[in-house]
Amino acid sequence: MLKECLKSILALSLNEQKREIILVDDGSDESPMPALADLQQYFIYIRQNNQGLSAARNIGLRNANGCYVQFVDGDDTIIPFAYEHCLDIARYRNADIVAFEMTQKRREKRDLTQAGPMTGSEYLNNYNIHAAACSYLFKKNILHGLLFTLNILHEDEEFTPQLILHADVLYKTNAEAYFYRQREESITHNHSKRAIVKKLDDTFNIIIRFQARIDTFPKLEQKALKRRIAQLTMDYLFNVARYTHSMKHLEQAIDRLNKRGLYPLPDKKYTRNYRLFRKLIQYKNGRRLIIAVTLR
């Protein structure tokens, strides 16, 4: 899978002077280098003790010298034709961020469109974002010191909205430029009790950190971040119901949010699903229905 991933990057129109591939080995049991011997001239290899995805991405960011950054997980691939469209937007539109689509199908969509330019706050206010950091090509200089928080699950939920708010020029495209491989043994699919508790607690803490910082942003960015907080809060409550199937746990989560001023959910016309969920979660029968739906 790793060799396939690297070859998909090497297939792009970027020559060696325009391309820098940093391969971060986060404490694998065996080094992949023997299997990648025929490709080792094309990438920089960094091995570290296992510290998790956030630490691996952070070390990649610290060592990156390019103008733009693209995260690619080692079991995924770039889809060349669609990604070239993203590169063209970056080249000819001088975009701070190019937002594109991820897919689980190996296909090349030809009817490509784009929307923009827009600021990051406009994007957050008008679109439902993909949290996955791999679905954005972005300029390194807009980070302004932003890194991934260590030792949390769903670290993208915290990193990506902040990254987007740093953008003055953002383009969104329907290009399905990134092949995402579903694997049952991946972190995302770990549904042990311990993993579920950590996922829920980490999401709650991300919401709280956003809430604590909201007054430090300009007005337009505050509005965008409030929308994201509301959506994350909805996701948090839904996942409590989905993972625990427990009215007791859902009531405890609501009480936890209420004490922080995050519940009831704000009465905003964000999305159809948001409006429906907001109505249901306000009443016990609605909460029972949400739990029943998650049992299917």
Side-chain angles (χ1 to χ4, degrees):
M1 287 187 289
L2 185 53
K3 181 172 273 192
E4 184 183 2
C5 173
L6 288 167
K7 285 184 174 180
S8 75
I9 299 168
L10 294 171
L12 298 172
S13 62
L14 300 168
N15 60 36
E16 290 189 45
Q17 287 71 44
K18 297 282 187 180
R19 176 190 69 226
E20 178 186 56
I21 302 173
I22 300 173
L23 174 59
V24 181
D25 179 348
D26 187 46
S28 61
D29 293 335
E30 295 181 22
S31 170
M33 290 303 287
L36 302 176
D38 57 332
L39 299 176
Q40 63 183 356
Q41 70 196 74
Y42 300 116
F43 61 85
I44 299 164
Y45 178 68
I46 300 174
R47 182 175 172 85
Q48 64 180 21
N49 292 331
N50 178 249
Q51 299 173 53
L53 179 58
S54 291
R57 285 179 172 172
N58 287 345
I59 198 169
L61 286 174
R62 291 188 179 107
N63 284 275
N65 296 301
C67 177
Y68 284 90
V69 173
Q70 173 67 56
F71 293 116
V72 188
D73 290 346
D75 51 355
D76 299 335
T77 63
I78 294 295
I79 299 176
F81 175 81
Y83 197 80
E84 290 291 352
H85 177 68
C86 302
L87 289 175
D88 284 343
I89 295 173
R91 287 171 179 138
Y92 302 118
R93 305 289 187 180
N94 195 27
D96 292 327
I97 295 179
V98 181
F100 53 85
E101 300 296 323
M102 304 174 80
T103 181
Q104 294 177 49
K105 298 179 180 178
R106 294 182 182 276
R107 61 187 181 188
E108 297 214 331
K109 190 175 182 179
R110 297 282 167 168
D111 52 335
L112 302 181
T113 62
Q114 64 187 57
M118 66 189 89
T119 64
S121 57
E122 287 172 332
Y123 180 63
L124 277 178
N125 268 315
N126 292 291
Y127 294 92
N128 294 330
I129 71 166
H130 298 299
C134 291
S135 58
Y136 300 89
L137 170 65
F138 63 91
K139 281 186 178 177
K140 188 185 178 188
N141 66 8
I142 70 168
L143 286 168
H144 304 302
L146 176 65
L147 292 170
F148 290 87
T149 300
L150 300 180
N151 302 317
I152 66 170
L153 296 174
H154 300 301
E155 58 283 306
D156 291 5
E157 292 284 9
E158 184 170 24
F159 177 87
T160 301
Q162 294 181 83
L163 175 72
I164 290 170
L165 286 175
H166 290 175
D168 292 324
V169 181
L170 183 149
Y171 282 84
K172 173 180 168 55
T173 172
N174 68 340
E176 294 178 340
Y178 188 102
F179 174 70
Y180 173 69
R181 195 190 305 268
Q182 287 273 18
R183 292 190 299 119
E184 288 301 318
E185 66 271 27
S186 69
I187 296 171
T188 307
H189 289 89
N190 185 348
H191 297 316
S192 69
K193 184 176 179 180
R194 184 176 179 181
I196 287 168
V197 170
K198 181 163 177 56
K199 285 176 185 177
L200 294 174
D201 283 346
D202 285 348
T203 302
F204 178 80
N205 290 329
I206 289 169
I207 293 167
I208 297 307
R209 287 197 289 271
F210 278 158
Q211 183 193 40
R213 291 191 55 213
I214 201 160
D215 290 337
T216 67
F217 289 90
K219 291 294 183 184
L220 286 177
E221 294 182 5
Q222 283 185 29
K223 181 183 176 185
L225 192 55
K226 284 178 180 177
R227 183 177 190 263
R228 188 60 190 157
I229 289 171
Q231 290 173 322
L232 270 179
T233 304
M234 178 187 74
D235 290 345
Y236 167 71
L237 288 171
F238 180 79
N239 283 329
V240 170
R242 172 189 174 196
Y243 289 128
T244 70
H245 306 301
S246 164
M247 192 69 169
K248 177 183 175 182
H249 285 100
L250 185 55
E251 295 287 359
Q252 288 174 343
I254 288 171
D255 184 58
R256 199 180 184 190
L257 291 166
N258 189 41
K259 288 176 179 176
R260 298 280 188 163
L262 292 163
Y263 181 88
L265 292 170
D267 186 8
K268 300 288 185 180
K269 295 180 180 179
Y270 291 144
T271 66
R272 180 177 176 274
N273 286 344
Y274 176 89
R275 295 196 300 272
L276 176 60
F277 185 88
R278 182 186 175 277
K279 287 180 180 178
L280 290 175
I281 201 71
Q282 291 183 85
Y283 306 103
K284 287 212 168 185
N285 285 339
R287 294 169 203 164
R288 290 191 183 100
L289 179 59
I290 290 169
I291 290 172
V293 168
T294 64
L295 284 168
R296 292 179 183 175

